[in-house]
Amino acid sequence: MVMTSLSSATLFADEGGVSYWLPGRFGSLAATPQVPGWSMAEVYYHTRVSAFGSAAAAREIHVGRIPATVNVDLNLRLNAQADLVLLNPTYTFATPVLGGQLAIGVTGLFGRSSANLDGTLTAAIGPLAITRTGSFGDSITSVGDLYPQATLKWNAGVHNFMTYVTGDIPTGAYDPRRLANLGIGHAAIDAGGGYTYFNPQAGHEFSAVAGFTYNFKNNDTQYQNGIDFHLDWGASQFLSKQLFVGLVGYAYQQVTDDFGAHPILGGFRSRVFSVGPQIGFLFPVGELQGFLSLKGYGEFAAENRPAGWNTWLTFSISPMAPTTTVMPARRVATK
């Protein structure tokens, strides 16, 4: 039931381990039409991840500005954590567009990101070798990038379809010399589509949304992330008209190589999978519709990207549906 529009530079993949797309942005009821008018979503997002090998080495190479002509041997561990608050105002139009329902919104975020890297780095130039052992880390509390988004949704009984386009406007706190950031330092555009099966009489629901991300070059580092593919899904069962429980998950796979990576990293294609539980509750807030949900993801099978866990606590307010038998989707700023 949750869709988000954020990226956190504490989540590692692509350049130095940082990707635009945050898996888990879309969830249950993602493609179902919403009630026209203004809505506002607030999300508290917490994540903790760690990595060894190339995913950690990428951060040392990235922050240390180690040139491609230097041979490196790394034995490193990376730990990172983020606590973010996101705001996502959205306007849903009543007038159909191409026979569907158009909604536009933007997500902004504020929070704290921290990261720590420790281990051993050996760098060699010809016969000379330098070994450095120790740890370093930093943290930042600031604002992140802006993430505009537009969706178009169609309904046909229990079947619902959607298409979307979103992207990254790199306005957040970013420094290529830092280990932790809240911006990614480059623009990105992402587009895709999704489907939701929702039977309000039986309370059965399943949603899946897939898309691709194109990343523009980071002019500070002359690095360009490859194209990413992602699939978010959610399945739920309504126990009543107000309460549902279920599962959520995602798959993330980079499909083309990065450009500008150190030779030791190769194409540095990243991958991760995840699954976890969710619970949601709908309730009236005066004449408006309130929504409160909690979902969690445990990651596994990560490659060139740390694995860990993340939780999303969402509260949103939107116009009340004209009938309580129709459960509108809630679009919120995660990831």
Side-chain angles (χ1 to χ4, degrees):
M1 189 160 200
V2 174
M3 185 284 291
T4 62
S5 253
L6 89 115
S7 163
S8 168
T10 308
L11 302 177
F12 295 88
D14 300 302
E15 180 185 9
V18 180
S19 66
Y20 158 69
W21 184 262
L22 180 64
R25 287 179 162 189
F26 290 97
S28 289
L29 295 169
T32 54
Q34 304 173 60
V35 180
W38 283 102
S39 64
M40 171 64 78
E42 303 84 26
V43 176
Y44 167 66
Y45 174 80
H46 174 79
T47 184
R48 186 185 294 270
V49 295
S50 61
F52 301 91
S54 60
R59 294 303 291 163
E60 173 76 1
I61 292 170
H62 177 69
V63 176
R65 299 294 183 89
I66 300 174
T69 56
V70 176
N71 296 319
V72 293
D73 181 22
L74 304 114
N75 180 19
L76 299 167
R77 177 184 176 90
L78 174 71
N79 294 288
Q81 178 176 317
D83 292 277
L84 307 174
V85 174
L86 299 103
L87 298 176
N88 175 217
T90 299
Y91 185 78
T92 301
F93 293 87
T95 303
V97 176
L98 299 178
Q101 185 187 68
L102 175 66
I104 58 174
V106 64
T107 298
L109 68 91
F110 173 85
R112 184 177 187 272
S113 172
S114 63
N116 185 78
L117 191 63
D118 63 318
T120 301
L121 165 67
T122 300
I125 306 178
L128 301 177
I130 299 174
T131 299
R132 183 176 70 190
T133 302
S135 64
F136 73 97
D138 62 31
S139 63
I140 185 172
T141 301
S142 188
V143 297
D145 293 348
L146 291 175
Y147 312 101
Q149 178 168 285
T151 62
L152 196 58
K153 300 180 179 181
W154 299 266
N155 169 259
V158 297
H159 305 290
N160 302 270
F161 307 90
M162 69 169 289
T163 185
Y164 76 90
V165 61
T166 184
D168 185 289
I169 301 175
T171 56
Y174 171 77
D175 186 332
R177 298 165 297 182
R178 295 186 62 93
L179 190 59
N181 284 292
L182 286 175
I184 61 175
H186 65 84
I189 187 168
D190 187 283
Y195 168 78
T196 291
Y197 171 84
F198 178 47
N199 186 327
Q201 283 72 39
H204 304 326
E205 181 274 337
F206 175 78
S207 298
V209 181
F212 290 89
T213 303
Y214 178 83
N215 299 282
F216 294 89
K217 182 184 292 186
N218 185 330
N219 291 324
D220 290 325
T221 61
Q222 299 303 305
Y223 194 109
Q224 186 171 9
N225 295 345
I227 296 173
D228 304 322
F229 169 78
H230 48 83
L231 172 68
D232 297 342
W233 61 269
S236 62
Q237 174 64 47
F238 278 83
L239 305 180
S240 68
K241 293 180 180 180
Q242 289 75 41
L243 178 67
F244 71 87
V245 295
L247 294 174
V248 289
Y250 53 73
Y252 178 94
Q253 175 68 63
Q254 188 174 336
V255 296
T256 66
D257 291 348
D258 289 355
F259 176 80
H262 191 285
I264 193 175
L265 300 176
F268 203 55
R269 299 191 186 191
S270 58
R271 180 188 67 200
V272 73
F273 299 92
S274 185
V275 67
Q278 68 168 334
I279 184 170
F281 182 65
L282 292 143
F283 54 94
V285 180
E287 297 182 353
L288 299 175
Q289 174 74 72
F291 171 65
L292 183 66
S293 76
L294 178 66
K295 64 178 184 176
Y297 294 91
E299 296 182 324
F300 59 94
E303 181 177 333
N304 293 326
R305 180 185 181 104
W309 56 272
N310 55 82
T311 57
W312 314 58
L313 178 62
T314 300
F315 172 68
S316 68
I317 296 179
S318 62
M320 180 72 74
T323 171
T324 57
T325 61
V326 177
M327 301 294 184
R330 293 292 177 269
R331 197 165 67 86
V332 301
T334 135
K335 301 143 170 24

